Amino acid sequence: MPHQPQRGRTGRTLAARGARGAALAGGLALLPLAAACDGGGDGSPDGGRTETSAVSAPSAGVVAPAKVEVIAGLTGCKVKIRTDADELREGVCHTPGGDYLITTFPAEKYKLTWLDSAAIYGGTYLVGPQWAISAKPEMLEPLRAKVGGTIQDLDARRTAAPSSDK
């Protein structure tokens, strides 16, 4: 009798689940780093906690659904899928105005976990139900007018551990 790969409760092989998990972890680790490199910040050394701010879309009557291709179509780009995992899908849009990433999630809990991870690096994101767009801050308002959502500024200092300088 030939050796069968070990399968988990979902019927997927453990190796397949491990590969998807590694792809997700890599995507989660690199995305905020790439998207948060906007060079912004006031450089203030206060080190205090700063609240996350959000701006809602009053002009957008509808918020885009959580599908990378649909959101990309609404923003006017032909998306290239970069990550396709159980926990998220991510597509890259290249436009003359700049590049941006569209990330969608099968459930809101995955988006919240992703945003918590992104907060470590700071940055500004356009966020909707089960999706987020990572782009230069000046690109977010025009994108918000097309797809709705809220602009969230995630301050890296709010999640940093306090320094032990004495």
Side-chain angles (χ1 to χ4, degrees):
M1 181 169 186
H3 180 306
Q4 294 287 326
Q6 186 176 1
R7 297 184 181 272
R9 283 184 275 184
T10 62
R12 295 186 182 126
T13 66
L14 295 178
R17 286 193 299 168
R20 274 194 292 283
L24 173 64
L28 288 175
L30 295 176
L31 180 63
L33 182 60
C37 293
D38 63 31
D42 60 5
S44 64
D46 65 2
R49 294 174 58 98
T50 304
E51 295 296 318
T52 298
S53 64
V55 179
S56 60
S59 62
V62 80
V63 177
K67 183 164 167 93
V68 172
E69 294 82 359
V70 172
I71 296 170
L74 290 171
T75 65
C77 95
K78 183 168 169 73
V79 71
K80 179 180 178 186
I81 300 299
R82 184 167 96 172
T83 305
D84 194 353
D86 289 343
E87 295 83 2
L88 64 84
R89 289 188 77 227
E90 177 181 80
V92 180
C93 284
H94 299 290
T95 67
D99 298 343
Y100 52 95
L101 300 169
I102 300 169
T103 308
T104 61
F105 308 91
E108 192 70 9
K109 68 181 181 177
Y110 295 113
K111 180 189 81 177
L112 296 174
T113 300
W114 184 88
L115 286 171
D116 284 344
S117 297
I120 295 170
Y121 303 102
T124 305
Y125 303 86
L126 179 59
V127 180
Q130 297 180 350
W131 58 264
I133 296 177
S134 308
K136 295 178 192 173
E138 61 269 14
M139 293 180 66
L140 294 177
E141 188 61 40
L143 290 170
R144 184 180 66 86
K146 294 176 181 180
V147 298
T150 58
I151 295 174
Q152 294 187 13
D153 182 18
L154 306 179
D155 188 345
R157 292 177 294 180
R158 75 182 177 93
T159 58
S163 66
S164 59
D165 295 349
K166 293 191 179 190

